[in-house]
Amino acid sequence: MTDDTADATRPDRAAAVERVRERAAELAPALGATWTDDEPWAFLTDLTAIGSRMAGSEGERRAAGLVADAFERAGLADVRTEPFDLPAWERGSASLDVTVSGRDGEPTTRSFEALALPYSPAGDASGELVDVGYGTPAEIDERDVEGRIAVASTTTPSGGRFVHRMEKFGYAIDSGAVGFVFVNHVDGQLPPTGSLTFGKEAEAVAAGVSKETGAWLREYAVDGTGDGATAGSGPVAQAELTVDAETTPGESRNVTGRAGPDTDERVLLLAHYDAHDIAEGALDNGCGIATVATAAGILADADLPLGVDIVAVGAEEVGLLGAEHLAERVDRDRVKGVVNVDGAGRFRDLVALAHASTATASVAEAVSTATRQPIEVDAQPHPFSDQWPFVRRGVPALQLHSDSGDRGRGWGHTHADTRDKVDDRNVREHAMLIALIVAEFAADERDLPRLDREELAAAFREADFETGMRAADLWPADWD
């Protein structure tokens, strides 16, 4: 972690645990009320009833209004909505046709269901399919993808870090692929979605297909090792991937409220409220924003030494654009730390991603010990959620997630991300823990050292992110 040198001077662990216990006792009425509160479920119901909350859409605008109302009900001060511009991507149709010769030598064309991936340009790609496995850089390097359409899984092998679709897509296209097909690893005829870039149109067409479709595509794909064989047992096929989509100027918005005093130094509590257009976005990130709105009510009752700005950010799913807008507008020297709730409230146990900060990790550990609630702490950084615009600028952060026990997104980014998957007990309980975490961030005794740029870059390199981030055009220029 980048602030190991501060370890000896940070507040004593036992004192921090005792401080959290005292705060929990002070907030016992608010915490107790949260345990039975029906507001989180009612808010999540209203949010998911909208349908699409795609960045820049009318649904996202309506969702921002619901969030502002929830912040008002929670008792936050200075609730306001701030619009910002973005390239708004709108989905059209997508098709994937595969032509293969039968045993009689006659060509047969099959059509498969496909979903364009956000920021895919309109257009088409034709050529052989090439199976690149999980789509890691090492696997792509082993295949001949030049002039072909790369077929990659949504998951990655156990034992290493999870490789994001932006890395897979960017590396495949940089290596010469003319198109990209993203294959779900979850059963159920569920083609996945997910943005290809951070806020700009991509260089090649791309689409998601179901696990079941992917099994056929791999049957028809070349193995890419140079011997011309197919990955399956059949003849080599020709594929055509066509996408109809449009990127136009649009508008998203952030919604902000404040708990605690109006101080110069602040703690930021974030969650994104937008979601992909193909489902209700209940898990990603309906649970997250419901958790934050619930924590806001607890924090509004807390005696905090610092102000806490609670921000529902828009346009996360298409490139962290709301968080980027926020990071550019706030005085980052006055931001003590950032707590980003992306994935909390979905599953039973909370996971705290410390993003290379010993100090933020110790906050989660203190709250876990004081409450006897399991919080798994992971130090490894990544650039794919709303803490990233702050972390790369040196602001210490904690991202709060939850663990399903499975590798990957599960129902997220598919048609199946619906309200029936949610257990709102997780939302309420995680909101209580998050309120205590944020209050500890704000404590006078809690020191949160800034992240050193060189050490942060080294942490990303050690986690094997550099190659993929460069392919996705995410590696900061000042890290070279």
Side-chain angles (χ1 to χ4, degrees):
M1 299 189 192
T2 66
D3 53 3
D4 282 336
T5 56
D7 195 356
T9 60
R10 63 185 176 168
D12 177 79
R13 291 173 187 265
V17 170
E18 184 59 29
R19 188 165 56 245
V20 173
R21 286 175 177 154
E22 291 174 357
R23 191 173 296 112
E26 293 168 2
L27 291 173
L31 294 170
T34 301
W35 193 72
T36 58
D37 192 3
D38 62 0
E39 170 65 15
W41 185 251
F43 171 70
L44 186 64
T45 297
D46 291 342
L47 194 68
T48 52
I50 289 174
S52 168
R53 303 196 305 276
M54 191 70 179
S57 70
E58 171 63 15
E60 192 199 36
R61 185 195 66 77
R62 290 172 56 198
L66 291 179
V67 172
D69 290 344
F71 282 4
E72 294 275 6
R73 288 193 298 272
L76 297 184
D78 302 329
V79 176
R80 62 190 186 277
T81 300
E82 183 175 347
F84 60 90
D85 295 333
L86 83 162
W89 183 85
E90 185 173 355
R91 183 188 308 281
S93 60
S95 62
L96 178 60
D97 298 327
V98 179
T99 301
V100 62
S101 295
R103 285 194 284 179
D104 59 2
E106 292 297 316
T108 300
T109 299
R110 293 192 63 181
S111 296
F112 295 95
E113 180 186 9
L115 277 177
L117 299 184
Y119 287 135
S120 172
D124 56 70
S126 300
E128 295 174 337
L129 298 168
V130 56
D131 181 4
V132 296
Y134 296 105
T136 62
E139 290 172 300
I140 293 171
D141 285 342
E142 292 173 354
R143 312 298 204 272
D144 179 10
V145 302
E146 183 72 35
R148 290 168 166 163
I149 298 172
V151 178
S153 172
T154 54
T155 191
T156 42
S158 60
R161 74 168 180 86
F162 200 87
V163 180
H164 196 273
R165 97 188 69 81
M166 290 186 186
E167 300 175 81
K168 300 179 183 188
F169 169 78
Y171 200 83
I173 300 307
D174 284 352
S175 299
V178 296
F180 183 78
V181 177
F182 202 38
V183 178
N184 203 349
H185 68 284
V186 176
D187 294 331
Q189 291 286 5
L190 295 170
T193 190
S195 186
L196 298 170
T197 63
F198 273 11
K200 61 183 180 181
E201 201 163 87
E203 296 180 6
V205 294
V209 300
S210 69
K211 178 180 178 181
E212 294 79 4
T213 292
W216 277 109
L217 298 185
R218 290 197 166 98
E219 184 78 11
Y220 296 142
V222 298
D223 67 7
T225 58
D227 61 10
T230 57
S233 59
V236 173
Q238 291 291 317
E240 183 167 359
L241 174 62
T242 302
V243 170
D244 179 22
E246 185 178 24
T247 303
T248 58
E251 184 177 85
S252 182
R253 49 202 48 79
N254 292 339
V255 183
T256 302
R258 176 174 50 80
D262 188 8
T263 52
D264 286 340
E265 189 177 35
R266 302 294 179 94
V267 173
L268 298 184
L269 173 59
L270 312 178
H272 76 89
Y273 67 91
D274 62 307
H276 285 291
D277 57 335
I278 65 169
E280 297 171 1
L283 297 171
D284 189 7
N285 191 38
C287 285
I289 188 60
T291 299
V292 162
T294 306
I298 301 170
L299 291 167
D301 284 347
D303 183 14
L304 299 168
L306 291 181
V308 175
D309 285 345
I310 300 171
V311 188
V313 291
E316 187 269 355
E317 295 289 7
V318 294
L320 322 182
L321 304 184
E324 191 68 51
H325 176 77
L326 179 66
E328 290 173 353
R329 290 182 63 85
V330 301
D331 184 346
R332 292 183 297 277
D333 291 337
R334 296 183 177 181
V335 177
K336 183 177 183 181
V338 172
V339 178
N340 172 35
V341 180
D342 189 1
R346 300 180 197 175
F347 308 114
R348 187 71 189 101
D349 291 337
L350 201 61
V351 177
L353 307 178
H355 294 280
S357 171
T358 299
T360 62
S362 68
V363 173
E365 290 163 354
V367 171
S368 178
T369 300
T371 61
R372 297 181 58 249
Q373 294 285 340
I375 301 177
E376 178 187 344
V377 179
D378 185 348
Q380 189 176 91
H382 73 77
F384 296 110
S385 192
D386 287 317
Q387 77 289 327
W388 170 239
F390 295 92
V391 166
R392 78 168 191 266
R393 294 174 168 98
V395 181
L398 201 63
Q399 178 191 349
L400 296 169
H401 196 60
S402 54
D403 186 10
S404 68
D406 296 323
R407 194 163 173 84
R409 296 182 183 277
W411 304 120
H413 288 201
T414 75
H415 296 300
D417 185 359
T418 49
R419 192 192 65 158
D420 60 292
K421 312 298 189 307
V422 176
D423 183 339
D424 71 311
R425 292 175 298 178
N426 298 332
V427 172
R428 288 180 272 127
E429 291 180 16
H430 289 181
M432 293 184 245
L433 293 172
I434 288 166
L436 293 173
I437 286 170
V438 171
E440 178 61 16
F441 260 65
D444 288 334
E445 301 90 338
R446 173 61 64 176
D447 184 29
L448 297 175
R450 299 320 247 195
L451 303 173
D452 179 82
R453 183 179 63 191
E454 291 184 2
E455 292 181 1
L456 187 60
F460 273 84
R461 288 189 172 103
E462 183 179 354
D464 196 29
F465 267 105
E466 183 174 5
T467 298
M469 286 175 65
R470 286 188 184 277
D473 197 25
L474 299 179
W475 188 261
D478 62 355
W479 284 11
D480 288 323

